Amino acid sequence: MIASLMAATLLAAPVAAQELPTTPPPIPAPKAFTVPASETFALANGMKVTLVPYGVAPKVVVSLQTYAGSVNEGENTWLALLAVDMLKEGAAGMTAAQIAQKAADMGGGLATNASLESSSVTLNVLSERAADAIALVADVAQRPSYPDSELARVKANWNRRLAVALSQPGTLANAAITRAYYGPDHPYGRVLPTPQQFGAYTTAQLKAWHAANFGAKRSHLYIAGKFDAAAVKGAVEKAFGGWAAGPERLSLPPSPKPGPQVLLVDRPGAPQSTFSIAYPAPRAGTAEDIPMRVSNALLGGAFSSRITRNIREAKGYTYSPGSSLAFYPSNAVWTFNADVTTAVTGPALKEVFHEIRTLQAAAPGDEEAAGMRQYMAGLFVIQNSTPGALVGSLATRDSLGLPRDWMDKYVPATLAVTPAQISAAAKNLPLDKLTLVVVGDLKVVTPQLQELPELKGIEFKTVTVP
């Protein structure tokens, strides 16, 4: 009874009005980012080693980056992907299961990856097992066995990925625009193999690719986390000191084809169209690099970007449009991608062109520019908050040949970009020099494209992929 009376009294008591803020609190300035004190040295065979004491958790990341990837495979598209994936299927007398168990016993898992310019073998383990992790990474990278018994299974996994890729309009658009931009004669321009081509690869080819491309001179070992430096150095020398030097890193700069060019991929009856736009971008480390990164975020690279607000929020043409910058040793490229309803393919492109032109013509306001600067600077700090992420950034820095202090200068350089520089950077996207790929129902899409002033006078070419 008493409890009921108390509850009734509380419910009946007047509630004091609460004053709610009418404006959001100010966004604090992003913290500065400084790469932790590190040590880089080279073994006698030419392999570089970077040690980065980082963090407080008793964990360590051991990552071997080797400058060998798709650029080294010639016309054998996906051969590097298959060869690097197969590294962990057997090495130094161990089976795939034994390699996986060794890694698990250290508190981690072994991962391999291949990209255009490089390949990696990475292991994240307990600090006390750092020396063992170094030895296992060395075995996998130096002494893979490429067992025939595992090839069919691994290829089957990749064949499923290829089949899915060939059914996805986004993948088709990426393959078509990459081939148009870089040309079919350069490895950068070859994104997808045919199923017949990939199915014919043999363990002999994988062994030959590895022997020709893996070696100490092309490799850089990164170790980050909590570790005993003296013990780690000894383990590195023991595991990698006898590795053959091998060849120097291959330099194969592409010669992107200038626009304008419009490529069409037909998908009869498709309810959506996918379009991709590509332009050359300033190389990493140049004076225009950081302003272009901020300009990209404001234009299409952030969720709150102008293009996103326009064709996603205001128009409802698409769910997840976006632009991005990709950096390579000798070039960089800006791309924009979106999936839109077939009936609004032309109107969506019209709005994208409008936003590019608007940013080129006038600098953004101070508030909008400041928001993007802070977003980019803060994102950089967050992205480098773990040893594994830091290793990835250091490897990218070194692969691109950027100065050692580039990461330390990134945040202040980003915060210093002016609205005028953001607008000027957008002029790297001249609408009369674009490369455009549209994947969709061409009988519906083509008439819409022909109505766009920016595409007048450009020959439309229908292509197939791969």
Side-chain angles (χ1 to χ4, degrees):
M1 182 69 176
I2 295 176
S4 299
L5 289 173
M6 290 180 64
T9 301
L10 288 172
L11 289 172
V15 179
Q18 183 178 4
E19 292 293 331
L20 297 176
T22 57
T23 58
I27 301 174
K31 295 181 180 179
F33 178 84
T34 303
V35 176
S38 61
E39 179 183 0
T40 297
F41 57 94
L43 303 183
N45 55 14
M47 191 182 88
K48 290 185 178 179
V49 182
T50 294
L51 307 181
V52 191
Y54 192 48
V56 296
K59 297 278 287 183
V60 63
V61 176
V62 178
S63 183
L64 180 72
Q65 304 284 329
T66 300
Y67 297 128
S70 300
V71 75
N72 305 89
E73 63 189 9
E75 297 181 358
N76 296 316
T77 308
W78 278 24
L79 180 65
L81 293 177
L82 182 59
V84 174
D85 193 24
M86 281 285 292
L87 290 176
K88 60 182 182 290
E89 297 300 327
M94 295 178 288
T95 64
Q98 290 170 331
I99 291 172
Q101 187 61 56
K102 267 198 169 185
D105 290 344
M106 300 176 198
L110 186 85
T112 60
N113 184 59
S115 62
L116 278 175
E117 292 279 347
S118 64
S119 301
S120 63
V121 181
T122 303
L123 189 51
N124 190 336
V125 302
L126 296 170
S127 294
E128 64 195 54
R129 303 300 299 274
D132 296 327
I134 292 167
L136 183 57
V137 167
D139 278 338
V140 169
Q142 295 178 48
R143 292 173 283 276
S145 55
Y146 290 112
D148 283 312
S149 59
E150 305 296 335
L151 181 61
R153 174 181 56 81
V154 175
K155 284 174 72 173
N157 289 337
W158 281 101
N159 272 318
R160 282 190 288 271
R161 298 180 199 179
L162 180 57
V164 171
L166 292 173
S167 71
Q168 300 296 316
T171 305
L172 298 179
N174 177 60
I177 201 165
T178 303
R179 183 172 62 191
Y181 183 77
Y182 286 115
D185 296 328
H186 193 279
Y188 280 20
R190 295 190 284 266
V191 175
L192 298 172
T194 64
Q196 295 77 17
Q197 178 187 22
F198 184 78
Y201 294 152
T202 66
T203 52
Q205 285 176 284
L206 304 182
K207 292 176 181 178
W209 184 87
H210 177 271
N213 291 292
F214 266 54
K217 280 187 178 180
R218 285 185 175 177
S219 297
H220 194 144
L221 182 68
Y222 297 85
I223 301 174
K226 296 283 287 184
F227 55 84
D228 181 292
V232 161
K233 287 181 181 179
V236 169
E237 179 62 43
K238 180 180 179 181
F240 289 97
W243 196 9
E248 297 284 353
R249 180 181 183 179
L250 175 65
S251 177
L252 193 62
S255 298
K257 182 180 178 180
Q261 50 183 334
V262 176
L263 294 308
L264 307 177
V265 180
D266 197 14
R267 296 188 82 221
Q272 284 190 330
S273 298
T274 297
F275 61 84
S276 296
I277 302 170
Y279 284 102
R283 285 180 57 191
T286 61
E288 290 185 279
D289 174 18
I290 301 298
M292 186 66 198
R293 294 179 194 238
V294 180
S295 184
N296 167 67
L298 186 147
L299 183 62
F303 189 74
S304 58
S305 70
R306 289 185 176 185
I307 294 177
T308 300
R309 295 200 309 269
N310 183 329
I311 66 173
R312 182 185 190 273
E313 304 298 336
K315 304 292 192 306
Y317 291 161
T318 180
Y319 182 73
S320 55
S323 63
S324 62
L325 289 159
F327 299 96
Y328 307 107
S330 61
N331 79 303
V333 61
W334 179 91
T335 56
F336 177 84
N337 303 280
D339 301 307
V340 302
T341 305
T342 299
V344 297
T345 304
L349 272 168
K350 178 182 177 181
E351 295 303 321
V352 172
F353 296 153
H354 166 74
E355 294 297 349
I356 292 174
R357 188 180 293 108
T358 299
L359 185 56
Q360 291 171 340
D366 290 338
E367 184 177 353
E368 184 182 21
M372 280 303 162
R373 290 194 300 263
Q374 291 190 323
Y375 164 75
M376 291 294 289
L379 185 63
F380 183 81
V381 175
I382 293 171
Q383 287 176 335
N384 289 287
S385 60
T386 66
L390 179 61
V391 163
S393 294
L394 292 174
T396 298
R397 178 200 67 184
D398 296 339
S399 176
L400 296 175
L402 297 173
R404 187 176 175 85
D405 62 353
W406 188 86
M407 292 177 64
D408 296 327
K409 292 181 176 180
Y410 180 89
V411 168
T414 298
L415 295 176
V417 173
T418 67
Q421 287 177 307
I422 293 174
S423 178
K427 294 176 183 176
N428 284 296
L429 315 175
L431 294 178
D432 61 342
K433 301 294 183 183
L434 89 170
T435 295
L436 169 68
V437 165
V438 181
V439 180
D441 188 343
L442 296 188
K443 69 178 183 296
V444 179
V445 169
T446 303
Q448 299 178 48
L449 302 180
Q450 291 170 336
E451 293 299 315
L452 296 174
E454 293 83 1
L455 304 184
K456 295 290 186 181
I458 303 175
E459 179 186 1
F460 292 3
K461 296 181 180 179
T462 302
V463 298
T464 58
V465 180

